[in-house]
Amino acid sequence: MAKPGIDFPGVGVGLAILRDGKLLLCRRLKAPEAGHWNIVGGKVDHLEPAETAARREAEEETGLSIGAIEFVTTSEQIIDADRQHWISLLYKTSDFHGEPWLTEPDKLSALEWFDLDALPEPLSAFTRALLPHLR
């Protein structure tokens, strides 16, 4: 079976979750960009609206209840090191309830808040594409 992002360009979503001038980032364990700090997100499922996918992925990865989200930009990433190609719709929100916790330790090694002026390295390409729209 063909895999999105690997056998053909995949459609993904990312959600910047903001609180008090800080951005919630997760550290990826798997490709693309394993070891990089990333906004929460993932693949859009067939017949799933992108906004729904962004909310679903964020809730699955953080345990938060996500309210209203706002579309910010699109990003196309060709990640040569992982031989992956993604086109992502990127969103942001500060409308959420709960405290984030690491709900998918098989996919993520950490989940932390970072000041927008003191972000960790390495940052994922998806996160870098979104940063100019958050300041």
Side-chain angles (χ1 to χ4, degrees), residues 44-117:
V44 177
D45 292 334
H46 183 62
L47 300 177
E48 179 183 34
E51 184 174 313
T52 301
R55 187 175 285 106
R56 173 185 55 76
E57 287 285 352
E59 290 178 347
E60 288 174 0
E61 292 180 1
T62 68
L64 294 171
S65 176
I66 305 296
I69 66 175
E70 177 185 340
F71 174 75
V72 178
T73 191
T74 57
S75 173
E76 181 174 23
Q77 302 298 328
I78 297 173
I79 305 162
D80 290 327
D82 296 316
R83 307 264 322 131
Q84 292 202 28
H85 182 181
W86 289 92
I87 298 169
S88 294
L89 290 90
L90 304 177
Y91 298 83
K92 69 179 179 178
T93 190
S94 57
D95 183 12
F96 62 90
H97 301 287
E99 283 298 320
W101 56 286
L102 194 59
T103 60
E104 295 184 328
D106 59 319
K107 295 180 183 176
L108 308 171
S109 65
L111 191 63
E112 297 179 34
W113 293 103
F114 293 96
D115 189 287
L116 285 170
D117 295 322

Side-chain angles (χ1 to χ4, degrees), residues 1-75:
M1 174 181 245
K3 293 185 178 182
I6 297 170
D7 298 313
F8 56 89
V11 178
V13 290
L15 180 63
I17 301 173
L18 301 158
R19 177 174 74 182
D20 301 324
K22 295 186 177 186
L23 176 63
L24 186 63
L25 295 176
C26 55
R27 190 160 205 167
R28 300 180 58 84
L29 287 172
K30 299 179 178 183
E33 299 185 298
H36 287 65
W37 289 95
N38 194 41
I39 56 175
V40 295
K43 176 178 69 71
V44 177
D45 292 334
H46 183 62
L47 300 177
E48 179 183 34
E51 184 174 313
T52 301
R55 187 175 285 106
R56 173 185 55 76
E57 287 285 352
E59 290 178 347
E60 288 174 0
E61 292 180 1
T62 68
L64 294 171
S65 176
I66 305 296
I69 66 175
E70 177 185 340
F71 174 75
V72 178
T73 191
T74 57
S75 173

